Amino acid sequence: MKQKEIVTLQRSLLPDTEALLNKQIEMEGKSSAYYLSMASWCHMMGYANAAQYLYTHADEERMHMMKIFHYVNEAGGHAIQPEITGIRHNFHSLREIFELILEHEIKVTKSINNIVDHAFGVKDFATFSFMQWYVTEQREEETMSRRALELFDIIGEEGIGLWTIDQELGKLHSAANAGE
Ligand SMILES: [Fe+2]
Ligand SMILES: [Fe+2]
């Protein structure tokens, strides 16, 4: 009985919430690995700016993962280092990469929204408040992904199109970093 009381006092996270946060840790860890793999492909193919953009993005996703990791442990839960498998290494084109990123970010947004909804439902306002940072971050990341993808339609991929797109991705990357 004593043990039970101690456990109750030590933790502020409900098991359901902890499970959802651990799933999000896994999702951010996979995002990081996914973007690193994309960065490598771009680097190898000579898209230097796209590669830089994606190397940075991979680091940011790891930071997203670590923020939740610490939150879970500080709240008395147990953050789980996720298994990262099934990461794709080859892509058909630069455009495909940016289409995949947007699709992936939309999935992440849905998952974040689900946690926010859950936290509100169970009156876990600490987690609700903690997750607001992710809500804002997802809005920014989706906007960036859409703008990156628009470059392919605006510039076109023929001739020096892909080279120009890579240059513009570099500018988008610098602008995003300056805004932080
Ligand atoms: Fe993320
Ligand atoms: Fe992201």
Side-chain angles (χ1 to χ4, degrees), residues 54-147:
L54 289 163
Y55 280 129
T56 307
H57 205 150
D59 284 347
E60 282 169 9
E61 298 297 352
R62 164 132 184 118
M63 182 271 281
H64 297 172
M65 175 181 113
M66 291 312 294
K67 235 170 123 83
I68 307 173
F69 209 89
H70 287 294
Y71 178 81
V72 168
N73 282 337
E74 279 161 16
H78 184 187
I80 305 297
Q81 158 66 44
E83 293 286 336
I84 310 280
T85 52
I87 299 299
R88 203 171 141 182
H89 301 293
N90 286 300
F91 303 90
H92 300 298
S93 65
L94 189 61
R95 184 187 194 118
E96 185 195 21
I97 284 188
F98 283 88
E99 284 170 351
L100 290 170
I101 293 173
L102 179 58
E103 261 173 43
H104 185 72
E105 289 299 337
I106 291 170
K107 243 188 252 165
V108 174
T109 301
K110 279 191 187 144
S111 175
I112 302 266
N113 287 346
N114 182 44
I115 299 175
V116 172
D117 184 51
H118 165 85
F120 190 79
V122 298
K123 294 189 172 18
D124 179 352
F125 298 116
T127 300
F128 180 80
S129 161
F130 169 74
M131 290 307 294
Q132 299 308 306
W133 184 88
Y134 288 85
V135 172
T136 310
E137 181 67 17
Q138 279 313 115
R139 207 199 52 212
E140 285 169 13
E141 288 203 6
E142 275 193 33
T143 303
M144 274 287 282
S145 307
R146 288 200 172 87
R147 286 183 58 196

